[in-house]
Amino acid sequence: MMYPFTTLNDDTEITHSEMKPDGKVKVYIETPDNIGGFHNATCWLPEYKWEDIKGYSETEMSYFKQLIRNNAHLIIEFSQEGGILNAATS
C-alpha cells in the first residue's frame, strides 16, 4: 500500500509505502508531463537508493534528493503509522 506524503505546486505527487519487515520504505515521485504521461523516480529509505528514474533532469533530481533527505525522518515515521493521515489522528 502507498500513502500520500505531499503534492507540490507542479502536481508532483510524493507517496510512500508502509515500512517493510526489513526496515525499508519505498518513496515514489511522479509528475505529469505535457503529453499525457508521467516522469517518475523511486527512492528506498533509509539507504537513499534511487532507481527507475524516468524523465527528470539532473536539476530536478537534485531538488528531489534534497527534499527526500530533509523529510526522510517524517516519511519513515509515517510509514510505521499508516501514513500521514493516520499519524495526524493518533
Side-chain angles (χ1 to χ4, degrees):
M1 170 133 201
M2 297 297 283
Y3 300 101
F5 178 66
T6 193
T7 302
L8 305 179
N9 289 340
D10 66 352
D11 292 327
T12 296
E13 296 278 342
I14 301 176
T15 60
H16 65 84
S17 69
E18 72 283 352
M19 184 174 283
K20 307 295 183 186
D22 63 1
K24 294 182 182 178
V25 178
K26 179 181 180 179
V27 179
Y28 184 71
I29 302 171
E30 181 178 83
T31 308
D33 66 20
N34 295 338
I35 56 172
F38 293 91
H39 297 177
N40 58 274
T42 300
C43 178
W44 288 93
L45 298 176
E47 299 92 354
Y48 299 98
K49 180 184 176 210
W50 289 88
E51 61 186 26
D52 300 325
I53 300 168
K54 296 183 180 91
Y56 291 122
S57 68
E58 287 185 33
T59 302
E60 289 168 318
M61 284 308 302
S62 183
Y63 171 79
F64 291 136
K65 287 177 181 180
Q66 188 66 42
L67 179 68
I68 298 305
R69 200 164 278 282
N70 289 345
N71 290 282
H73 64 290
L74 294 172
I75 294 169
I76 289 170
E77 178 182 335
F78 297 150
S79 75
Q80 299 172 71
E81 298 180 19
I84 191 170
L85 298 176
N86 287 329
T89 59
S90 299

